[in-house]
C-alpha cells in the first residue's frame, strides 16, 4: 500500500518530518534555507528530497519536480514559518514584510493543493496584539478554500510523551469538502504532577530520559569528538528502550535505520570551571542556578522548554542548556535530544552550538507524531509499517561549516558565519545566555 505523502516547510533538522514519518507518512520533500540544517536533514532522511533554499519564490511545481511526485495529490504540508506577529496601526499584520514567510507558507500550501496543512508556531501568537495576526492568517487560508479546525489549540509536548514542558500553537486545516482533522487528546499525565488518576499512564520524567546514558565527562574522546564507542550503558526503562530502539515499537510506523547502537553520539563535552561545578552541584533540582540562571533538571519532573540560542546575525550565542540533575554540568546535545523525544539513531551537527540550535528550534517528535496521527485519521488511512531499512547518510554531512555545507547543497552562503566571542564579549555572551534561560524557565 502506498503511504500518504507530506512536505515539510522550514524543516530544520526534522522534528516534524520525524513525527510525520513515525505516524505513517512519507516525507516527499523538505525545504530548509540553512545549509547546515539541510545537510543534517539529508543525513537522517536519505529518501527525502531536501531543497536547501528559501521558500520565497519557490513554486509548488518546483517542489513536485524535485520530490519526483508528479501530479500525485499532496496529503499534507506542515511547518512553522518564522513570524514577527505584530499588528500595526493602519496596516494588516499579514502584509507586514516581516511576516512574508507566513504568506509564503499559505501560498505554497495553496499551489500544491495540499489536502491538509499543519501550521505550528509559538504560543505567544495567540495572545495580545499578536492575536490579530493569527486571525488574519486563518482568514487568508479560508479565502483560499481551506476550512480551519476551530477553536485552535495550544498543545504541550509533555501530554504526548516528551519529558519536556513545551507548548506550541497548532493550526489544522483541510480543503473545503475534505474531513477536518481533530486535535489529538493527551496520551499521558505530565511527570511531576502527582500520581496518575488511572485514566492515562504517567508520562516520562527526566530520569526516565537520561538515567541509562553514559556520563560524557567519563570520556576524554568527547573533548575532541561528539561520539565514542562504549559499553557503559545503564539499564533502560520504557522510555529509554524506545529511544534506543531496543523495543521494536520505538520505530513506530517509520522506516528502520541501519545504525550503530553501541556508539554514544552527539555528546561533545563542555568543560566547566570548578566554581561553576560547585554552583551547579549546590543548586536544588527544579530551580535556577542563581548566577547563570540555568535550570537544574528535576529527576522526577519535566525539563523546562529547550531553547535554540541566537543565530549568527545576533552573535551566535549557544543555547542555555539545563543542568543535569546528577552531574555538575550542562546536559549534552544527546541528552537534549532525549528530553525532546529524538531517538538515539537520529544525529545532529557535531558542534554543540548547531546541535543545540537544531533541537531547540524543532518540534518534539512525540508531539509531531500525535498531530500527524490525527491528520492520518482524517484521511481515512490506517498506518502501516514499511519494510525497507534505510542507510543513514555520510557522516561528513554532520561536520560541515557553513561554507562547506552550502557548497555541498550547491547554494550560495546566505547565512553569516558564527561570530566567536572572547574576553569582554564572552562575558556579554554569558549575560545574554542567562537572560535567555531566565525567560525560558
Amino acid at each position: 500500500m502506498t503511504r500518504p505523502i507530506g512536505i515539510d516547510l522550514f524543516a530544520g533538522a526534522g522534528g516534524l518530518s520525524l513525527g510525520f514519518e513515525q505516524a505513517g507518512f512519507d516525507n516527499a520533500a523538505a525545504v530548509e534555507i540553512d545549509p547546515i540544517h539541510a545537510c543534517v536533514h539529508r543525513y537522517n532522511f536519505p529518501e527525502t528530497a531536501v531543497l536547501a533554499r528559501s521558500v520565497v519564490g519557490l513554486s509548488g511545481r518546483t517542489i513536485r519536480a524535485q520530490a519526483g511526485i508528479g501530479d500525485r495529490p499532496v496529503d499534507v504540508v506542515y511547518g512553522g514559518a518564522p513570524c514577527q506577529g505584530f499588528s500595526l496601526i493602519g496596516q494588516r499584520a499579514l502584509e507586514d514584510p516581516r511576516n512574508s514567510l507566513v504568506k509564503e507558507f499559505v501560498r505554497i500550501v495553496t499551489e500544491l493543493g495540499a489536502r491538509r496543512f499543519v501550521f505550528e508556531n509559538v504560543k505567544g501568537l495567540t495572545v495580545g496584539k499578536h492575536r490579530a495576526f493569527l486571525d488574519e492568517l486563518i482568514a487568508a487560508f479560508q479565502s483560499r478554500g481551506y476550512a480551519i479546525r476551530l477553536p485552535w489549540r495550544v498543545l504541550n509536548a509533555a501530554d504526548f510523551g516528551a519529558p519536556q514542558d513545551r507548548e506550541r500553537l497548532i493550526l489544522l486545516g483541510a480543503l473545503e469538502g475534505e474531513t477536518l482533522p481533530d486535535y489529538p487528546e493527551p496520551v499521558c499525565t505530565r511527570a511531576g504532577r502527582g500520581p496518575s488518576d488511572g485514566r492515562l499512564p504517567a508520562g516520562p520524567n527526566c530520569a526516565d530520559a537520561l538515567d541509562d546514558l553514559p556520563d560524557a565527562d567519563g570520556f576524554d574522546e568527547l573533548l575532541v569528538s561528539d561520539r565514542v564507542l562504549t559499553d557503559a550503558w545503564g539499564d533502560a526503562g520504557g522510555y529509554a528502550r524506545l529511544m534506543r530502539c531496543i523495543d521494536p515499537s520505538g520505530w513506530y510506523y517509520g522506516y528502520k535505520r541501519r545504525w550503530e547502537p553501541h556508539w554514544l553520539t552527539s555528546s561533545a563535552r563542555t568543560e566547566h570551571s570548578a566554581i561553576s561545578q560547585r554552583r551547579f552541584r549546590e543548586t536544588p533540582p527544579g530551580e535556577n542556578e542563581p548566577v547563570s540562571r540555568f535550570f537544574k533538571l528535576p529527576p522526577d519532573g519535566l525539563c523546562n522548554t529547550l531553547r535554540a540560542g541566537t543565530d549568527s546575525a545576533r552573535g551566535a550565542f549557544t543555547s542555555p542548556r539545563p543542568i543535569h540533575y546528577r552531574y555538575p554540568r550542562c546536559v549534552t546535545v544527546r541528552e537534549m535530544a532525549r528530553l525532546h523525544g529524538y531517538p538515539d539513531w537520529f544525529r545532529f551537527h557535531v558542534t554543540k552550538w548547531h546541535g543545540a540550535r537544531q533541537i531547540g528550534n524543532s518540534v518534539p517528535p512525540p508531539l509531531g507524531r500525535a498531530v500527524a496521527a490525527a491528520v492520518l485519521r482524517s484521511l481515512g488511512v490506517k498506518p502501516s509499517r514499511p519494510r525497507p531499512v534505510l542507510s543513514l547518510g555520510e557522516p561528513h554531512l554532520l561536520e560541515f561549516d557553513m561554507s562547506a555545507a552550502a557548497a555541498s547543497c550547491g547554494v550560495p552562503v546566505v547565512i553569516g558565519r558564527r561570530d566567536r566571542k572572547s574576553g569582554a564579549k564572552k562575558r556579554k555572551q554569558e549575560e545574554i545566555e542567562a537572560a535567555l534561560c531566565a525567560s525560558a524557565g
Side-chain angles (χ1 to χ4, degrees):
M1 178 179 177
T2 302
R3 288 159 60 96
I5 59 174
I7 290 172
D8 194 350
L9 303 181
F10 314 97
L16 271 178
S17 288
L18 180 58
F20 270 80
E21 181 193 312
Q22 290 178 336
F25 286 87
D26 279 349
N27 293 294
V31 183
E32 170 53 47
I33 190 174
D34 187 318
I36 285 182
H37 296 347
C39 286
V40 167
H41 205 290
R42 284 177 172 169
Y43 176 89
N44 290 297
F45 301 95
E47 300 298 310
T48 297
V50 179
L51 285 65
R53 56 161 297 171
S54 170
V55 297
V56 177
L58 176 62
S59 68
R61 180 179 300 178
T62 297
I63 294 175
R64 286 182 173 278
Q66 297 206 20
I69 58 175
D71 294 329
R72 182 179 170 186
V74 173
D75 295 291
V76 60
V77 172
Y78 36 90
C83 67
Q84 296 296 327
F86 293 116
S87 179
L88 303 179
I89 297 175
Q91 180 177 344
R92 292 178 59 83
L94 202 56
E95 299 304 320
D96 183 343
R98 293 173 295 179
N99 297 323
S100 62
L101 295 180
V102 181
K103 289 186 66 176
E104 296 293 330
F105 183 88
V106 176
R107 177 185 61 80
I108 291 174
V109 167
T110 305
E111 284 189 13
L112 288 170
R115 301 174 65 193
R116 309 286 187 279
F117 75 81
V118 176
F119 177 85
E120 69 85 19
N121 222 282
V122 295
K123 178 184 178 181
L125 204 62
T126 68
V127 297
K129 60 185 179 182
H130 302 75
R131 173 65 184 274
F133 176 82
L134 178 56
D135 292 340
E136 289 181 26
L137 174 61
I138 291 171
F141 273 118
Q142 291 172 330
S143 70
R144 288 163 175 79
Y146 283 87
I148 309 298
R149 173 61 67 190
L150 296 173
W152 42 257
R153 288 193 191 178
V154 173
L155 303 181
N156 195 317
D159 292 329
F160 299 95
Q164 181 187 164
D165 185 8
R166 188 183 187 93
E167 294 182 310
R168 301 296 289 183
L169 163 68
I170 303 294
L171 191 67
L172 302 175
L175 275 173
E176 291 286 358
E178 297 253 11
T179 302
L180 262 174
D182 290 315
Y183 281 97
E185 296 300 326
V187 300
C188 61
T189 59
R190 300 179 197 176
R193 296 290 182 89
S196 170
D197 61 7
R199 292 179 297 173
L200 294 174
N205 57 34
C206 293
D208 295 329
L210 306 184
D211 260 1
D212 68 305
L213 288 172
D215 180 14
D217 281 358
F219 303 94
D220 290 340
E221 298 97 317
L222 295 177
L223 291 171
V224 294
S225 173
D226 80 321
R227 68 178 210 144
V228 63
L229 181 63
T230 177
D231 59 2
W233 299 84
D235 293 334
Y239 181 80
R241 289 180 64 86
L242 293 175
M243 296 298 99
R244 289 165 62 175
C245 294
I246 296 173
D247 186 333
S249 61
W251 297 101
Y252 298 93
Y253 294 102
Y255 292 87
K256 292 182 178 180
R257 266 58 165 193
R258 296 183 180 91
W259 67 301
E260 301 168 319
H262 298 295
W263 284 84
L264 176 65
T265 62
S266 300
S267 296
R269 283 175 52 178
T270 298
E271 292 190 280
H272 299 292
S273 69
I275 294 175
S276 293
Q277 290 183 41
R278 176 178 58 80
R279 293 201 310 261
F280 291 171
R281 192 178 289 110
E282 293 174 351
T283 301
E287 296 187 13
N288 289 339
E289 193 279 311
V291 176
S292 67
R293 299 297 300 163
F294 292 169
F295 179 75
K296 186 167 182 177
L297 298 174
D300 59 351
L302 295 173
C303 176
N304 60 328
T305 300
L306 295 173
R307 304 292 184 182
T310 59
D311 59 23
S312 57
R314 291 174 289 173
F317 300 126
T318 303
S319 168
R321 291 170 285 144
I323 303 166
H324 200 288
Y325 53 83
R326 177 176 296 148
Y327 309 119
R329 60 168 175 80
C330 291
V331 296
T332 64
V333 171
R334 174 55 57 200
E335 289 162 346
M336 288 181 70
R338 282 282 190 96
L339 295 165
H340 219 65
Y342 280 104
D344 289 1
W345 62 261
F346 199 101
R347 296 282 300 279
F348 303 90
H349 193 268
V350 296
T351 65
K352 289 174 288 185
W353 177 53
H354 283 304
R357 194 162 61 96
Q358 288 165 348
I359 294 169
N361 272 332
S362 67
V363 174
L367 175 56
R369 184 171 64 246
V371 172
V375 174
L376 197 74
R377 287 192 292 272
S378 76
L379 291 167
V381 176
K382 183 177 180 180
S384 60
R385 288 187 169 86
R387 291 184 179 180
V389 178
L390 306 183
S391 296
L392 293 166
E394 294 297 324
H396 65 257
L397 291 169
L398 309 174
E399 301 168 356
F400 289 140
D401 63 14
M402 189 62 70
S403 296
S408 175
C409 294
V411 298
V413 176
V414 294
I415 299 174
R417 299 172 65 88
R418 182 178 183 183
D419 183 12
R420 298 185 178 274
K421 306 296 179 181
S422 62
K425 291 185 178 180
K426 183 176 181 180
R427 289 192 294 273
K428 182 64 176 177
Q429 172 182 341
E430 293 171 347
E431 293 171 5
I432 294 176
E433 288 182 348
L436 285 169
C437 188
S439 66

